[in-house]
Amino acid sequence: MRVLSGIQPTGRFHWGNYFGAIRQYIDLQYEAEDAFYFIANLHALTTVRDRDELAGLTMDAALDLLALGLEPDKATLFVQSDVPEVSELCWLLMTGAPLGLLERCHAYKDKKARGISADAGLFAYPVLMAADILAYDSDTIPVGEDQGQHIEVCRDLAASFNHHYGETFVMPKAKIIDTTARVPGIDGEKMSKSYNNILALFEEPKVLRKQIMRIKTDSRPMEDPKEPDDDHLFQLYSLFANDEQREEMAAKYRHGGFGYGEVKKALADLAIDYFDGPRQKRLELEADPERVRKILADGAKRASEKAGEVLRRAQKACGVKI
Ligand code: TYM
């Protein structure tokens, strides 16, 4: 298994990023033959247009991933723009990417539907993502549900290139974990930076507790029995609870006669405890930025070697390298 995934440094990482994707990055680094994880700063440029902010968020992303358990001797961690081969590969794929396919992609479609004018970068976003994936011969892409469509586009582009020029790219597959495919935010919608409904991974415990207390709940009376699986607060609790805790809480929901405040308090206790180790580790890493830069530089070198090999294969296949 050759694993690859990317994450945009567009804001602080949140529970959706962790349970939908990052936790799998960490588990898979022990099983995979190769694991490449990168900070997608070129994708982030389509939304973050402040130099210092983007540079700061990129460093924060590296600190977060390392603090959460990414091990540089098991997985290759790098910054997307440090591997220029991918941008070249992106162009090769761009020349065969049907407009209609990209028009159907949700990042662009949603913006257009809201009357926001999109630029070419946002429109071509899935093609760069396809190049990211294909450049490392990766076959397994751990992501949350919202990225499923983009992986399908990548498969379409790879299949059409292979069909036209002969077998060049490995066909990748999304790995989406059912139970955490779509982590809800504090308003019950998908947790997302752009919906302003996130719970951040490295939030101050006191602030986090307050934010959890503000999670929207329905207004049914406390006495009413409730179906736990329909409730986003219960879904959030389930991310942290072990089986026994989860069953116990589900039974309380079905029985009724208790308040949401009780669930929120239990959730805050579990979440604060869960991220305590990474929080300590992050402080240690913050004190040594040189070490982090070295990890990223070593990662970029390894990633570049692999991407260069695949780029040359693709260049030969389509005739731009003679
Ligand atoms: P990004 O930065 O939006 O999100 C990073 C990862 O977090 C997952 N995720 C969620 N999972 C479950 N519930 C949620 N509420 C939630 N919110 C976010 C995302 O599915 C994603 O896996 N285009 C990508 C970055 C990218 C990439 C790639 C990914 C660029 N190139 C190549 C894979 C392979 C993105 O914007 O992710």
Side-chain angles (χ1 to χ4, degrees):
M1 179 173 41
R2 306 177 80 106
V3 179
L4 168 129
S5 201
I7 184 161
Q8 288 196 71
T10 42
R12 288 192 301 165
F13 290 165
H14 53 74
W15 292 6
N17 295 136
Y18 180 72
F19 289 101
I22 301 172
R23 194 170 55 162
Q24 298 182 66
Y25 303 173
I26 292 155
D27 290 346
L28 290 169
Q29 69 184 341
Y30 301 107
E31 296 168 34
E33 183 188 329
D34 249 349
F36 288 99
Y37 298 124
F38 65 92
I39 300 162
N41 62 342
L42 294 176
H43 279 109
L45 258 185
T46 61
T47 46
V48 183
R49 304 191 56 89
D50 178 285
R51 183 220 166 277
D52 293 339
E53 191 189 357
L54 184 59
L57 286 170
T58 303
M59 187 60 170
D60 276 341
L63 288 168
D64 285 359
L65 292 169
L66 292 167
L68 289 165
L70 220 116
E71 294 183 29
D73 56 341
K74 301 259 178 316
T76 300
L77 175 66
F78 60 101
V79 176
Q80 186 183 31
S81 60
D82 285 342
V83 183
E85 290 84 353
V86 170
S87 299
E88 285 194 49
L89 188 59
C90 177
W91 181 257
L92 302 189
L93 294 170
M94 198 95 87
T95 57
L99 286 190
L101 184 69
L102 301 182
E103 268 161 1
R104 285 195 295 278
C105 286
H106 57 71
Y108 167 74
K109 217 167 106 181
D110 292 353
K111 241 188 174 174
K112 210 175 149 212
R114 280 186 280 143
I116 304 169
S117 71
D119 49 36
L122 184 73
F123 187 68
Y125 182 114
V127 188
L128 179 57
M129 191 161 154
D132 287 328
I133 295 171
L134 301 175
Y136 304 98
D137 284 338
S138 27
D139 52 29
T140 306
I141 320 298
V143 283
E145 182 187 72
D146 60 339
Q147 297 302 316
Q149 184 190 38
H150 293 150
I151 314 282
E152 284 309 310
V153 170
C154 172
R155 290 169 57 86
D156 279 359
L157 297 179
S160 120
F161 193 101
N162 285 351
H163 178 73
H164 200 81
Y165 294 117
E167 249 357 82
T168 308
F169 296 123
V170 170
M171 198 54 81
K173 246 183 137 168
K175 187 169 167 62
I176 301 176
I177 304 282
D178 267 359
T179 48
T180 55
R182 183 186 171 281
V183 173
I186 58 171
D187 55 358
E189 296 302 310
K190 184 190 96 169
M191 186 178 288
S192 167
K193 291 165 250 201
S194 44
Y195 298 163
N196 209 8
N197 65 356
I198 68 158
L199 293 162
L201 292 179
F202 291 96
E203 189 56 271
E204 275 299 314
K206 261 192 179 162
V207 179
L208 182 64
R209 202 172 274 282
K210 274 197 190 143
Q211 291 172 339
I212 289 176
M213 295 320 276
R214 283 204 294 268
I215 292 175
K216 251 199 212 154
T217 48
D218 69 31
S219 51
R220 279 177 300 168
M222 277 168 54
E223 292 72 32
D224 282 8
K226 297 168 186 99
E227 183 44 51
D229 293 326
D230 298 341
D231 182 55
H232 59 273
L233 181 58
F234 182 77
Q235 282 171 33
L236 291 170
Y237 179 78
S238 301
L239 297 173
F240 299 96
N242 60 31
D243 289 350
E244 199 184 320
Q245 290 165 323
R246 194 176 175 279
E247 280 316 307
E248 218 172 281
M249 188 60 86
K252 282 191 181 175
Y253 266 76
R254 292 196 183 103
H255 182 266
F258 79 109
Y260 284 122
E262 196 182 317
V263 193
K264 290 178 178 176
K265 186 177 173 307
L267 169 61
D269 290 344
L270 286 184
I272 289 168
D273 189 49
Y274 192 96
F275 290 117
D276 190 49
R279 200 175 291 118
Q280 303 305 328
K281 178 125 189 261
R282 198 182 193 286
L283 289 174
E284 281 166 35
L285 287 159
E286 265 171 46
D288 195 358
E290 272 321 302
R291 183 170 146 220
V292 178
R293 279 197 198 97
K294 167 99 175 51
I295 290 171
L296 293 174
D298 290 348
K301 190 163 172 280
R302 281 208 297 273
S304 237
E305 271 164 27
K306 178 68 199 171
E309 186 193 310
V310 176
L311 174 65
R312 280 188 292 280
R313 196 196 303 150
Q315 285 172 325
K316 275 193 186 149
C318 68
V320 296
K321 192 161 214 74
I322 49 171

